[in-house]
Amino acid sequence: RNVMHSLAWKISIIRFSLLTDAGNSYYFSNWGASGLLFGQPNVGPKPAYVAVATMTQMLDGAQFTRIAPTGAVTVYAFEFKKPQGGFVTCLWTPAVPQPVLVGTKQKQLTVTDLMNNAQPAPAAPGGYTVVATAAPGFLDSGQPLQIAAQAAPGGALPAGQNFSISALDDAAQWQPSAAPDAEMEGYNFMQPRLPGTY
């Protein structure tokens, strides 16, 4: 998901992982366990290794074109145009799984998950039904897709438009906290976080 945002922002170099987990005390830092492979002596692939390989194959040479509207603030659809023609749309939600109606006239819509399992999407009136989950999926299509999130099991989608929590343009909106913060102070033994003076 972070890589999708980085591609949309046109970040030229995206460094999101180490090749392997660090094998010393660095492992306990905020970067040490972020390898695509386990550390020595068991340098085997993690699920993230397959996920990155799948993403790379699906988006090889593709250019970001738009964030497709979904009608829900919790469902994201990032569209990319493939160099050989056609489109790949990356679909996900950070919330509970959401059924999504994908509008298209093409005869089949293929959905590829992060483990590179490709399956045809179930047909629905006007297109296909796909479930957006926290693990992004890739929709391969000949034309741009129309995407409409539906009500989630057990409740409706949030109403309204995307909104800004803060423009971050006025420091007066924020107040320093002098209270202890166990999560920050226990960050890791090499880089303790302590309250500063503002």
Side-chain angles (χ1 to χ4, degrees), residues 123-142:
Y128 299 88
T129 299
V130 177
V131 177
T133 68
F138 299 92
L139 312 177
D140 200 350
S141 63

Side-chain angles (χ1 to χ4, degrees), residues 68-197:
T70 64
V73 296
T74 57
V75 178
Y76 297 86
F78 283 33
E79 180 187 273
F80 298 83
K81 185 171 178 56
K82 297 190 289 187
Q84 66 273 28
F87 296 84
V88 174
T89 302
C90 184
L91 179 72
W92 79 92
T93 177
V96 297
Q98 301 278 351
V100 172
L101 176 63
V102 180
T104 179
K105 293 181 180 178
Q106 67 186 46
K107 294 182 179 179
Q108 184 174 339
L109 180 68
T110 301
V111 182
T112 304
D113 67 18
L114 283 181
M115 297 296 106
N116 204 25
N117 298 305
Q119 296 182 1
Y128 299 88
T129 299
V130 177
V131 177
T133 68
F138 299 92
L139 312 177
D140 200 350
S141 63
Q143 299 293 328
L145 300 172
Q146 302 297 319
I147 299 174
Q150 303 172 42
L157 292 170
Q161 302 295 316
N162 292 340
F163 61 94
S164 174
I165 295 172
S166 172
L168 299 177
D169 58 355
D170 182 7
Q173 295 177 356
W174 304 90
Q175 299 299 321
S177 173
D181 188 310
E183 183 176 354
M184 293 298 289
E185 293 174 13
Y187 175 69
N188 72 67
F189 70 94
M190 296 180 73
Q191 297 177 316
R193 303 299 206 234
L194 300 174
T197 301

Side-chain angles (χ1 to χ4, degrees), residues 27-98:
Y27 178 87
F28 298 99
S29 73
N30 59 324
W31 304 112
S34 63
L36 295 176
L37 306 169
F38 292 104
Q40 294 183 2
N42 179 24
V43 183
K46 296 180 180 180
Y49 180 91
V50 181
V52 170
T54 300
M55 176 187 67
T56 302
Q57 290 175 342
M58 295 302 299
L59 298 180
D60 187 21
Q63 296 291 319
F64 174 77
T65 51
R66 67 177 178 136
I67 298 175
T70 64
V73 296
T74 57
V75 178
Y76 297 86
F78 283 33
E79 180 187 273
F80 298 83
K81 185 171 178 56
K82 297 190 289 187
Q84 66 273 28
F87 296 84
V88 174
T89 302
C90 184
L91 179 72
W92 79 92
T93 177
V96 297
Q98 301 278 351

